[in-house]
Amino acid sequence: MKKSNHVQLNFERSIRVPHNRLTFGEEEVQAVADVVSSGQWAGGPRLAELEKALAERAQVTYAVGVASGLGALRLALKGLGVKPGDEVIVPAYSCVALANALMALGAKPIPVDVCDSNWNLDPESARLAITSRTRALVLVNTFGAAAPIADLQDLNIPLIEDCAHGFGLQIDGSIMGGRGDAAVLSFCATKLMGAGEGGAVLTNKRDLDEFVHAWRDYGDQPPDPTRLNEKMNDLEAALAICQLRRLDSMLIARKKAALYYSKCLAPEAKRTGAFRLPQSSENQVWYRYVIEMTSASASIVIERLRRRGIHAECPVTDWRSDDAAQCPTADRAYDRLVSLPLYPTLQPGEQQMVCEALSAVVQELSYA
Ligand SMILES: *Cc1c(COP(=O)(O)O)cnc(C)c1O
């Protein structure tokens, strides 16, 4: 075994509180076993069943399951008419999947600054970035906070709501999915619903539904560099169906854990001024619990938390090119945000360990 593997293994063993943990039970085990023994591992009935359940849950007319969140974004953008050379506005602080989906279509991501209240796209900055080449706009419900879709609906530009962090979110009575022209989901193992991998496009537009259905497969079609294999299989669909049934109870458990953090951490945040807690609002689900360090950089805090067995993470990695426009709030977010462990099975005792470790790290840094 190479030395680096040893270090890695020792490191993993010393983790007392992991950053993510899946929530599952006998239902998931049984659902996968049923698909395996049915002999229909792909192209079977589970995918259609999942699509129906997703559409019902999001109160949209159509849902199409695909291989990943990135695939869902790429096909939604392509289906809404994004072509080579087009510009698409995206939050400067966001998952690199947005940039990759656009670049795969030959389009150009235009990063626009975010707000420091909840790290979502700043609608005013988005308006200022619009040019004659702007073909669409992607909004993300960052960490589970509602993206400002209503503020941009008058633009007459296709809006895509990336709900990888926000499935289950309900805003002023309307559920996510129906607010923009399309919404996309990810079922990657670390998201709100895990299925191993997978994603979905939700829409009320029949032509977009037909487009994504036709383009998730390449079989019997002429060669095309943008026609990839974006199919979701029945094993993933079976898992996603179980996770969808659990979604409400998982969201309640996440919220409970988030409120517990806020209660434990508020006195320390106030006393030291070393970090800022996330804003809590009605229009949100708790995908991540992210604190902003006031003066320390996130990477130092994360490294020191890990030494104490707490697996915190830098929630998003900067993907912007050097020539991208100035986005001071996004710059700060990339530098200062720390994501603490948050998932439905997180125990109060584990949260206590996280809070104590953070308090110790803050004290260490104040003497440094
Ligand atoms: C994870 C993520 C994606 C990509 O989803 P995959 O299923 O990993 O391809 C897209 N957008 C956001 C905001 C994400 O967090």
Side-chain angles (χ1 to χ4, degrees):
M1 192 183 285
K2 282 195 308 226
K3 186 151 178 267
S4 61
N5 281 348
H6 266 299
V7 173
Q8 182 67 22
L9 282 177
N10 286 336
F11 171 71
E12 296 297 340
R13 223 174 272 136
S14 69
I15 286 289
R16 294 187 298 160
V17 186
H19 188 251
N20 291 299
R21 201 190 272 143
L22 286 162
T23 308
F24 62 93
E26 204 38 55
E27 296 86 340
E28 279 81 358
V29 175
Q30 194 57 51
V32 170
D34 287 349
V35 174
V36 172
S37 41
S38 78
Q40 273 204 303
W41 297 2
R46 296 286 189 259
L47 181 56
E49 193 186 321
L50 171 66
E51 289 170 341
K52 186 160 169 278
L54 287 173
E56 260 166 35
R57 170 69 206 223
Q59 291 175 15
V60 291
T61 321
Y62 308 102
V64 199
V66 292
S68 67
L70 197 160
L73 271 170
R74 195 182 69 86
L75 291 178
L77 288 159
K78 187 172 169 67
L80 289 169
V82 172
K83 299 205 164 44
D86 285 345
E87 292 182 352
V88 173
I89 292 174
V90 300
Y93 184 72
S94 62
C95 178
V96 67
L98 276 67
N100 287 359
L102 286 163
M103 288 158 72
L105 298 173
K108 187 169 184 218
I110 304 295
V112 155
D113 211 359
V114 294
C115 301
D116 73 357
S117 54
N118 58 13
W119 314 110
N120 273 333
L121 184 74
D122 173 41
E124 281 318 304
S125 307
R127 277 178 197 279
L128 292 173
I130 288 169
T131 71
S132 58
R133 290 181 301 279
T134 307
R135 193 69 191 82
L137 219 143
V138 183
L139 295 104
V140 181
N141 300 300
T142 306
F143 307 143
I149 294 193
D151 297 343
L152 295 165
Q153 253 155 351
D154 61 319
L155 289 173
N156 276 328
I157 297 172
L159 299 181
I160 296 174
E161 184 178 7
D162 182 333
C163 293
H165 297 188
F167 193 43
L169 191 61
Q170 193 163 338
I171 294 140
D172 303 330
S174 71
I175 295 191
M176 40 78 19
R179 299 193 301 152
D181 295 82
V184 299
L185 303 178
S186 163
F187 306 129
C188 171
T190 58
K191 303 296 165 82
L192 291 166
M193 282 172 51
E197 297 284 357
V201 177
L202 310 175
T203 185
N204 289 320
K205 291 179 181 298
R206 185 171 169 186
D207 49 352
L208 182 61
D209 172 64
E210 285 173 357
F211 180 89
V212 180
H213 264 110
W215 277 81
R216 69 182 170 186
D217 199 357
Y218 62 87
D220 304 324
Q221 301 289 342
D224 186 308
T226 59
R227 198 182 268 284
L228 305 175
N229 183 347
E230 304 278 20
K231 298 198 292 300
M232 186 184 207
N233 66 51
D234 279 59
L235 292 158
E236 291 164 335
L239 284 170
I241 291 167
C242 296
Q243 295 272 295
L244 184 57
R245 287 197 196 113
R246 285 184 195 281
L247 183 63
D248 285 322
S249 66
M250 291 196 292
L251 292 177
I252 289 170
R254 283 174 172 278
K255 181 171 177 184
K256 195 167 156 218
L259 298 182
Y260 187 93
Y261 270 139
S262 291
K263 195 162 143 255
C264 286
L265 293 173
E268 178 82 4
K270 188 154 182 240
R271 191 176 61 79
T272 63
F275 57 92
R276 188 161 71 98
L277 300 181
Q279 228 183 36
S280 147
S281 88
E282 279 306 302
N283 290 339
Q284 120 183 76
V285 294
W286 286 95
Y287 172 56
R288 293 277 186 236
Y289 192 91
V290 176
I291 59 171
E292 182 195 354
M293 302 314 297
T294 319
S295 51
S297 94
S299 56
I300 292 173
V301 174
I302 289 165
E303 155 65 21
R304 293 194 179 214
L305 284 172
R306 287 196 189 192
R307 279 192 223 156
R308 292 169 184 274
I310 307 301
H311 195 156
E313 266 189 10
C314 177
V316 184
T317 309
D318 200 354
W319 51 265
R320 295 167 300 165
S321 58
D322 292 338
D323 63 351
Q326 297 275 309
C327 295
T329 307
D331 294 348
R332 201 171 93 220
Y334 282 118
D335 184 42
R336 299 288 168 84
L337 297 189
V338 175
S339 170
L340 301 180
L342 185 72
Y343 33 86
T345 62
L346 187 65
Q347 300 300 310
E350 294 174 313
Q351 296 197 266
Q352 204 66 47
M353 284 193 255
V354 175
C355 296
E356 280 163 18
L358 181 64
S359 161
V361 169
V362 163
Q363 193 170 5
E364 248 170 54
L365 292 173
S366 73
Y367 291 126

